[in-house]
Amino acid sequence: MSALEIKNLNKVYSNKFAALKGIDLNVNQGDFFALLGPNGAGKSTTIGIVCGLVNKTSGTVKVFGHDIDTDNDAAKACIGIVPQELNFSQFETCLRIVLNQGGYYGYSRASLVSRCDELLKKLDLFSYANRPSRILSGGMKRRLMIARALIHSPDLL
């Protein structure tokens, strides 16, 4: 099964700018891949469409067989995203940031505590679990973003 299947993906904005013109991509389960290209090539637009943050003009996108048009919730549940920009409250503790993210996927707080501990340990952030995220270095904040993206054990990161 394909982890990600994109066929003839197009995105045209209201000002008639065509950001994507017939993108085709197939990523097999277990593969590691990267979208590379110059500024304006459509990388962020493509990722935005896959994650449900940007509406496509036409084409199909499937995440582990779930079509984003007909089975969007299931497709989104398969995805963990680490955005380019930091987008968490710098005043929240590291543990709370990761716990709250798990809540968006329907997990109870009690069921997430051990998963949070596991992720924070693996990413060398456990000793900062109850400290505000603002004290972290830039690299540590990036690792916190990764922990948050992994909390629901996504199939596609």
Side-chain angles (χ1 to χ4, degrees):
M1 171 186 294
S2 294
L4 178 61
E5 182 181 340
I6 298 174
K7 290 185 180 176
N8 198 29
L9 185 60
N10 295 281
K11 174 60 180 178
V12 180
Y13 287 97
S14 60
N15 66 358
K16 307 294 186 220
F17 174 73
L20 301 176
K21 300 175 187 175
I23 302 290
D24 292 310
L25 175 67
N26 190 62
V27 179
N28 292 320
Q29 187 172 351
D31 281 357
F32 181 87
F33 78 100
L35 289 175
L36 301 174
N39 291 346
K43 302 175 300 291
S44 294
T45 300
T46 301
I47 292 169
I49 291 169
V50 170
C51 295
L53 303 172
V54 175
N55 292 323
K56 65 184 176 63
T57 303
S58 64
T60 60
V61 176
K62 293 182 181 179
V63 180
F64 286 93
H66 303 288
D67 189 303
I68 65 167
D69 291 326
T70 59
D71 203 6
N72 194 29
D73 288 344
K76 283 183 178 181
C78 294
I79 300 170
I81 187 165
V82 181
Q84 183 174 344
E85 303 297 329
L86 299 176
N87 63 353
F88 54 78
S89 170
Q90 303 260 339
F91 299 99
E92 296 283 346
T93 66
C94 297
L95 179 61
R96 184 175 299 274
I97 288 167
V98 179
L99 278 172
N100 287 345
Q101 184 70 23
Y104 291 126
Y105 292 91
Y107 294 101
S108 71
R109 188 174 201 81
S111 70
L112 288 170
V113 173
S114 64
R115 175 76 175 145
C116 286
D117 288 351
E118 172 191 345
L119 287 169
L120 293 175
K121 284 176 185 173
K122 283 183 178 179
L123 293 165
D124 202 22
L125 293 170
F126 187 72
S127 62
Y128 297 91
N130 294 307
R131 299 182 69 188
S133 63
R134 72 178 174 271
I135 68 159
L136 301 178
S137 70
M140 295 166 84
K141 288 175 182 174
R142 179 66 48 204
R143 291 198 313 266
L144 181 58
M145 299 274 287
I146 293 168
R148 190 179 67 171
L150 292 172
I151 189 61
H152 67 290
S153 302
D155 294 317
L156 178 66
L157 181 64

